[in-house]
Every structure is written in structure tokens, then in C-alpha cells.
């Protein structure tokens, strides 16, 4: 197969992606600065033929010796709690990191794959969100550091495509969950599952009427590979269109885990999108991709992983 560079390869999505690439016979060079990624996520990969790990911050100059067929740029903190904690790093990896990795792909004649996000749609005024929607983003709010970095990254990627003829793919990733999420990641799936397992109250922000659509990581990564191998050079949504209010999602986590945790309401974060649901017509038609894992099954599998993880930590 090919030699693939994965930035952010020790992160939640990046580590699942590295594993899937190795499984299909690719060589993988995993780059990560471990700001939010973790060696524990890739520990099982070190012994595998074709896997190399380099600790590196791709916001600074990036060079990988030898041939490279694909550059997959997945490095970025992505949780809303990171937006307050490390905003400059997020802006740098989305802008400078994208520029550096595009430069690597250009120098190597490699295909470039950008991990973008549903956050480019901001607090969307249309639902579901098709790729043609330009979005509703507050550039100066706390989420702007992530949203605008990714919007810039898309603009930069398309400029390399048009100006340099670089072969590019752009995925817009919607809320994804599964094993290897950080227990303290701060996002709704990890928070609710960990809270349910510990018998602590589930923290619903706002009145819980806002919606999200959750994709199990196995489906998501299958979508990445389908897009990577396709000839679609324009942004493509990959996500699960099953949409739930946060209230309904909390109930589902309680049911699936059999937890008797209570619900506690907390203030809604600034600029928290009121709705999010991918229109996946393009992925269905051009990639033949759609998610297969129902959210109840995904919660059960994720909760089993978290239960193990919490037991180990204890
Ligand atoms: N949320 C919540 N309780 C939590 C964490 C998040 O109610 O403990 C809400 C959050 O306000 C948002 C939704 O769940 O409306 C999804 O949040 P998350 O941080 O997972 O990702 P986002 O989609 O906002 O990037």
C-alpha cells in the first residue's frame, strides 16, 4: 500500500486512524506533540511492522525523510474546554500546522487529507447542514479559535489545490465518540458516561434542548478511508445524522449504563450551537458510506471501555 503521515496520530481520532491504516497494510508515520494526545492510545502499535512514532509539534517546520504517499492532518485540540485553555496552540496548529503539512505533501507529491469540522458551520441556521452551507461563526468568541483555524485550514488547502494542483481531500467531522476519548475531555459523551459510571450527576448545559448527532469512531474512520481513497476533492461531511437533544441523550446514557445518576443543569457555554446534524447525501452518493453503529450500541461499547479504564486508574 502506501506510506502515510498522520499528524495528531496519538489523539482520539488519529490513533484509531493509524490502527486502521496499519490493518490495511499501509506504513504509518505518526506525529504528535502529546498536548492532548497520549502514548497510551498508540501503545499497541509500537510493536507493529510499518509503524513509526515521532514526537513533534507540527506548528513548527515539519520534515519526514523518505517517500510519503499521503499526509493526513489530524493534529488539533478539539474539545470546547481546550478552546479556553490552549487557544493559541489551536490557532497555530490549524494555520501554521496546516501550512507546514501542506508544504510536506507538496514536496513529496503526496495526497493531502485535512481533518476539518462541523464547527465551520458555527451555530447553523439551516438543518441538516449540507457542505454548501457557509456557516454562522462568531470569529471573536471563545469557539472562534477552533472554528476560524479550521476555516482558514480549508481555505489554505483549497488554495494549494487550485494554485499548486495539490491532490486534496477535506473531511468535515461531526461529533464522534468511542474508546480512547479522554475521561476528562470535557465533551458531552465522555462526561455523561464517566458521570453515569461513577454515580455522579450528569451535567446538562443550558436547558438541554440543543441537539447533536453522534457518530461511533469505527464508522467515522471507515468514512475517512473511503474519502481518502475517493476522487472527491471538495469538503465532505462524515457524521451520523441521528440527532438527539442533550436531554434525550442524557436519558439514553442512563438507560444503557443502568445508572441511577441524577441530572444537574449548568449554564450554557458561550456560542454553544443550538443544533447540529450532518447532511450526508454527498458521502452516501460519492463514497457509498453511511454509519452502521446505532448510538445505543456505541454508548454501550464506549461505556465498557471507560469502565475498564476507570478501574485501571483506580
Ligand atoms: N454538554 C453538556 N454537558 C456536558 C458537556 C457538554 O450538556 O457535560 C453540551 C454542550 O453544551 C453542547 C453539547 O453537550 O451543547 C455537546 O458538547 P460537546 O462539548 O460534546 O461538543 P460540541 O458539539 O459542543 O463541540
Amino acid at each position: 500500500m502506501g506510506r502515510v503521515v498522520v499528524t495528531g496520530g496519538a489523539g482520539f481520532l488519529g490513533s484509531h486512524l493509524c490502527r486502521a491504516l496499519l490493518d490495511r497494510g499501509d506504513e504509518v508515520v505518526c506525529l504528535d506533540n502529546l498536548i492532548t494526545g497520549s502514548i497510551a492510545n498508540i501503545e499497541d502499535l509500537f510493536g507493529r511492522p510499518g509503524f513509526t512514532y515521532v514526537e513533534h509539534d507540527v506548528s513548527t517546520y515539519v520534515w519526514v525523510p523518505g517517500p510519503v504517499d499521503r499526509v493526513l492532518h489530524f493534529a488539533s485540540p478539539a474539545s470546547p474546554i481546550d478552546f479556553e485553555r490552549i487557544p493559541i496552540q489551536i490557532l497555530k496548529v490549524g494555520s501554521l500546522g496546516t501550512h507546514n503539512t501542506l508544504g510536506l505533501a507538496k514536496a513529496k507529491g503526496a495526497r493531502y487529507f485535512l481533518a476539518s469540522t462541523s464547527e465551520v458551520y458555527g451555530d447553523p441556521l439551516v438543518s441538516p447542514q449540507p457542505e454548501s452551507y457557509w456557516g454562522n461563526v462568531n470569529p471573536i468568541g471563545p469557539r472562534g479559535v477552533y472554528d476560524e483555524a479550521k476555516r482558514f485550514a480549508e481555505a489554505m488547502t483549497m488554495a494549494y489545490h487550485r494554485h499548486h494542483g495539490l491532490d486534496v481531500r477535506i473531511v468535515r467531522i461531526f461529533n464522534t465518540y468511542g474508546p480512547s476519548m479522554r475521561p476528562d475531555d470535557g465533551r458531552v459523551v465522555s462526561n455523561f458516561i464517566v458521570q453515569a459510571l461513577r454515580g455522579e450527576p450528569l451535567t446538562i448545559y443550558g436547558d438541554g434542548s440543543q441537539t447533536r448527532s453522534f457518530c461511533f469512531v469505527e464508522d467515522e474512520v471507515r468514512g475517512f478511508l473511503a474519502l481518502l481513497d475517493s476522487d472527491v476533492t471538495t469538503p465532505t461531511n462524515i457524521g451520523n445524522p441521528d440527532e438527539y437533544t442533550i436531554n434525550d441523550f442524557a436519558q439514553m446514557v442512563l438507560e444503557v449504563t443502568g445508572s441511577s445518576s441524577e441530572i444537574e443543569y449548568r449554564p450554557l457555554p458561550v456560542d454553544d450551537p443550538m443544533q447540529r446534524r450532518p447532511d450526508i447525501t454527498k458521502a452516501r452518493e460519492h463514497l457509498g458510506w453511511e454509519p452502521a453503529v446505532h448510538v445505543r450500541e456505541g454508548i454501550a461499547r464506549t461505556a465498557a471501555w471507560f469502565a475498564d479504564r476507570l478501574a485501571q486508574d483506580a
Side-chain angles (χ1 to χ4, degrees):
M1 296 288 286
R3 188 157 183 258
V4 186
V5 171
V6 181
T7 79
F12 165 51
L13 292 178
S15 60
H16 284 279
L17 181 57
C18 288
R19 197 169 293 109
L21 289 163
L22 289 168
D23 285 348
R24 70 180 203 167
D26 285 317
E27 277 180 57
V28 173
V29 180
C30 166
L31 307 181
D32 207 298
N33 69 350
L34 303 180
I35 189 171
T36 52
S38 130
I39 292 293
N41 289 340
I42 52 169
E43 200 133 24
D44 60 308
L45 305 184
F46 279 89
R48 293 187 58 168
F51 181 73
T52 314
Y53 168 74
V54 182
E55 188 170 330
H56 182 69
D57 178 357
V58 297
S59 304
T60 64
Y61 183 73
V62 180
W63 187 246
V64 175
V68 173
D69 304 296
R70 307 272 186 265
V71 176
L72 280 48
H73 184 31
F74 275 74
S76 180
S79 173
I81 56 167
D82 299 327
F83 304 166
E84 305 269 358
R85 194 171 63 88
I86 40 175
I88 314 293
Q89 286 94 328
I90 292 173
L91 281 158
K92 284 173 74 175
V93 76
S95 55
L96 307 176
T98 299
H99 188 211
N100 291 334
T101 51
L102 280 164
L104 176 69
K106 179 167 164 271
K108 300 287 184 179
R111 179 173 293 175
Y112 187 78
F113 187 103
L114 174 69
S116 185
T117 170
S118 58
E119 282 285 325
V120 300
Y121 303 125
D123 189 1
L125 304 176
V126 302
S127 191
Q129 294 87 55
E131 290 86 352
S132 55
Y133 179 52
W134 287 359
N136 177 39
V137 172
N138 174 6
I140 58 165
R143 298 180 85 99
V145 298
Y146 184 64
D147 301 10
E148 295 296 358
K150 289 292 190 184
R151 288 169 69 96
F152 174 88
E154 288 198 7
M156 192 68 152
T157 301
M158 290 311 289
Y160 265 67
H161 177 59
R162 281 190 294 260
H163 193 69
H164 291 309
L166 191 74
D167 188 22
V168 304
R169 308 288 180 271
I170 300 175
V171 63
R172 291 187 179 150
I173 302 170
F174 285 68
N175 295 64
T176 304
Y177 68 97
S180 299
M181 288 187 101
R182 288 179 284 158
D184 60 351
D185 179 63
R187 275 185 283 196
V188 71
V189 179
S190 44
N191 274 6
F192 283 4
I193 291 178
V194 170
Q195 289 160 348
L197 293 175
R198 289 182 172 150
E200 295 167 359
L202 270 55
T203 51
I204 293 181
Y205 302 161
D207 65 5
S209 64
Q210 71 273 31
T211 68
R212 291 296 184 274
S213 310
F214 301 100
C215 191
F216 190 62
V217 65
E218 196 178 278
D219 283 332
E220 190 72 28
V221 168
R222 192 167 44 80
F224 298 161
L225 296 183
L227 178 60
L228 177 65
D229 295 339
S230 78
D231 55 8
V232 179
T233 55
T234 48
T236 305
N237 291 338
I238 297 288
N240 189 323
D242 286 345
E243 184 181 19
Y244 297 92
T245 66
I246 296 302
N247 282 324
D248 287 346
F249 186 68
Q251 285 310 321
M252 212 153 45
V253 169
L254 291 178
E255 282 165 30
V256 173
T257 57
S259 168
S260 50
S261 285
E262 317 228 297
I263 299 286
E264 198 174 282
Y265 286 89
R266 301 256 180 98
L268 191 68
V270 177
D271 294 338
D272 197 287
M274 279 312 294
Q275 55 180 351
R276 184 178 294 148
R277 179 185 182 202
D279 180 334
I280 60 164
T281 309
K282 186 173 175 182
R284 278 201 176 104
E285 287 179 359
H286 294 269
L287 311 179
W289 175 88
E290 62 182 6
V293 179
H294 190 271
V295 71
R296 280 180 186 273
E297 182 195 337
I299 293 172
R301 290 169 66 179
T302 308
W305 182 84
F306 270 117
D308 271 357
R309 167 73 200 262
L310 296 180
Q312 277 171 30
D313 289 355

